């Protein structure tokens, strides 16, 4: 059952003077990824066939994911009245597809699949918390905080089922760690990059993964603060069977924060270089 509805959002409180133009492209891309939750529910139902409890949970999860997409998409249309969420999502669906016919987890086991889902929910919970903390636009702040709370509940949902399957499958710590690290590494694959393309570029613009992931990450990383990374690292440690709080977790969070800062600067410099290269062409036009 949904924990909130679109009608509960104070849309009339939208304040265009407080919209950060760096956030708008991120919201548009995120709306498309979230809206696509139904396909993932189909995939999860195939992987977990014979487990009605999890299937019901996955279906409810997908309903909330779609609602996240609708909320973000509506905000995107308000912030940019010339943008069509439906049209952007149509393009995204046509160009990005997952294998909904798979009958086994691509992670090698059901436990591995649930660990991977925990990584996704860790990332989204941290991400929407970071956006909600950063924006001064009241409607987006409300939307992000509602979504972040949902994503944390989703993490707990997948974590609880993961523990149930771990008791049966006895997945070793190295394998759990490998699944978690692998899924985190997939955060820069085509799912987000293509969503950024469909949400922010015209249909006649050729898709470039490198350009689009730079456009996305170069902006998104700027909204994180150390507390978001620290909390996320605790969730990651919990998922793979380590203490979520302690010296090791603290060291890992500090290392992740330094890595994020380095990558953020790398992406930022690329964005500046591209902007400078395109400046003469825009001036000539």
């Amino acid at each position: 059952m949904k924990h909130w509805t679109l009608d509960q959002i104070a849309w009339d409180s939208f304040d265009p003077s407080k919209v950060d133009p760096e956030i708008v492209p991120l919201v548009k891309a995120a709306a498309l990824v979230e809206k696509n939750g139904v396909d993932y529910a189909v995939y999860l139902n195939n992987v977990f066939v014979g487990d009605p409890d999890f299937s019901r949970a996955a279906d409810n999860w997908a309903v909330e994911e779609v609602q996240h997409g609708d909320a973000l998409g509506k905000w995107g249309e308000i912030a940019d009245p010339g943008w069509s969420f439906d049209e952007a999502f149509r393009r995204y669906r046509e160009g990005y597809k997952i294998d909904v016919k798979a009958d086994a987890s691509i992670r090698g086991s059901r436990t591995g699949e649930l660990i991977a889902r925990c990584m996704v929910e860790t990332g989204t919970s941290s991400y929407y918390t970071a956006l909600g903390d950063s924006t001064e636009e009241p409607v987006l702040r409300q939307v992000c905080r509602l979504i972040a709370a949902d994503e944390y509940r989703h993490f707990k949902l997948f974590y609880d089922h993961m523990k149930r399957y771990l008791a049966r499958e006895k997945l070793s710590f190295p394998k759990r760690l490998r699944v978690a690290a692998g899924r985190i590494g997939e955060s820069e694959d085509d799912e987000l990059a293509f969503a950024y393309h469909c949400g922010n570029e015209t249909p006649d613009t050729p898709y470039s993964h490198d350009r689009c992931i730079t456009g996305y990450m170069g902006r998104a990383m700027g909204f994180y603060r150390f507390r978001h990374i620290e909390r996320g690292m605790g969730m990651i440690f919990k998922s793979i069977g380590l203490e979520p709080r302690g010296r090791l977790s603290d060291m890992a969070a500090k290392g992740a924060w330094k890595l994020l800062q380095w990558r953020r600067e790398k992406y930022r410099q690329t964005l500046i270089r591209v902007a400078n290269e395109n400046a003469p062409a825009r001036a000539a036009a």
Side-chain angles (χ1 to χ4, degrees), residues 241-262:
L242 295 175
E243 286 296 324
R245 290 290 178 266
R247 183 178 178 184
L248 185 58
S249 177
D250 290 344
M251 290 173 59
K254 291 175 182 176
W257 175 241
K258 289 181 179 179
L259 177 61
L260 182 143
Q261 289 178 304
W262 176 79

Side-chain angles (χ1 to χ4, degrees), residues 272-285:
I272 292 173
R273 177 177 55 79
V274 171
N276 290 336
E277 290 173 352
N278 292 337
R282 289 197 298 268

Side-chain angles (χ1 to χ4, degrees), residues 127-136 140-142 144-145:
Y127 180 58
Y128 290 115
T129 299
L131 288 187
D133 288 347
S134 299
T135 184
E136 295 183 2
L140 182 59
R141 185 167 59 240
Q142 181 187 11
C144 285
R145 289 177 177 176

Side-chain angles (χ1 to χ4, degrees), residues 3-283:
H3 286 244
W4 52 275
T5 68
L6 296 185
D7 292 338
Q8 292 173 259
I9 296 172
W11 299 106
D12 291 343
S13 298
F14 177 78
D15 186 345
S17 70
K18 294 183 178 178
V19 173
D20 183 346
E22 291 294 290
I23 283 185
V24 178
L26 302 178
V27 172
K28 291 177 179 179
L32 305 183
V33 175
E34 297 282 348
K35 180 78 170 179
N36 206 33
V38 171
D39 275 1
Y40 286 97
V42 173
Y43 163 76
L44 289 172
N45 273 303
N46 288 339
V47 170
F48 289 87
V49 64
D51 185 343
D53 288 341
F54 181 80
S55 292
R56 282 191 295 270
D59 289 340
N60 290 333
W61 165 83
V63 169
E64 293 190 340
E65 293 294 295
V66 170
Q67 179 172 268
H68 296 169
D70 288 336
L72 294 166
K74 183 171 181 177
W75 187 89
E77 290 185 327
I78 296 173
D80 180 2
W83 183 66
S84 170
F85 176 45
D86 288 342
E87 175 60 21
F89 186 62
R90 182 192 62 77
R91 288 173 56 201
Y92 184 64
R93 289 278 295 175
E94 288 178 355
Y96 181 81
K97 300 180 185 299
I98 67 169
D99 183 10
V100 297
K101 296 181 180 179
D103 58 2
S105 172
I106 61 174
R107 312 297 169 183
S109 67
R110 290 183 172 183
T111 302
E113 183 63 46
L114 292 165
I115 292 172
R117 296 314 311 173
C118 285
M119 295 305 100
V120 173
E121 304 304 331
T122 295
T124 52
S125 175
S126 300
Y127 180 58
Y128 290 115
T129 299
L131 288 187
D133 288 347
S134 299
T135 184
E136 295 183 2
E137 202 293 300
V139 178
L140 182 59
R141 185 167 59 240
Q142 181 187 11
V143 169
C144 285
R145 289 177 177 176
L146 287 169
I147 294 177
D150 280 352
E151 303 293 21
Y152 186 75
R153 284 191 299 98
H154 294 166
F155 167 83
K156 189 176 185 307
L157 164 73
F158 291 122
Y159 176 77
D160 288 344
H161 282 281
M162 183 272 292
K163 288 196 299 182
R164 180 164 62 92
Y165 274 98
L166 182 62
R168 306 176 189 177
E169 297 178 337
K170 309 295 184 183
L171 199 66
S172 68
F173 174 76
K175 289 182 178 179
R176 294 163 70 182
L177 179 61
R178 186 159 55 247
V179 169
R183 185 60 187 88
I184 292 171
E186 293 170 14
S187 62
E188 296 184 21
D189 65 9
D190 278 322
E191 181 180 36
L192 274 175
F194 193 67
Y196 183 89
H197 169 65
C198 295
N200 297 284
E201 298 182 336
T202 59
D204 59 343
T205 302
Y207 170 61
S208 164
H209 174 271
D210 289 346
R211 183 187 68 246
C212 293
I213 202 63
T214 297
Y216 187 91
M217 290 296 181
R219 291 173 173 84
M221 288 182 173
F223 295 104
Y224 284 96
R225 298 296 178 263
F226 177 70
R227 64 181 180 275
H228 305 128
I229 302 303
E230 186 177 36
R231 179 172 176 265
M233 188 58 66
M235 295 166 71
I236 292 171
F237 267 46
K238 184 175 182 179
S239 300
I240 60 177
L242 295 175
E243 286 296 324
R245 290 290 178 266
R247 183 178 178 184
L248 185 58
S249 177
D250 290 344
M251 290 173 59
K254 291 175 182 176
W257 175 241
K258 289 181 179 179
L259 177 61
L260 182 143
Q261 289 178 304
W262 176 79
R263 293 175 67 214
R264 179 173 63 195
E265 182 61 20
K266 181 181 176 182
Y267 279 124
R268 192 180 73 84
Q269 291 299 327
T270 301
L271 287 174
I272 292 173
R273 177 177 55 79
V274 171
N276 290 336
E277 290 173 352
N278 292 337
R282 289 197 298 268

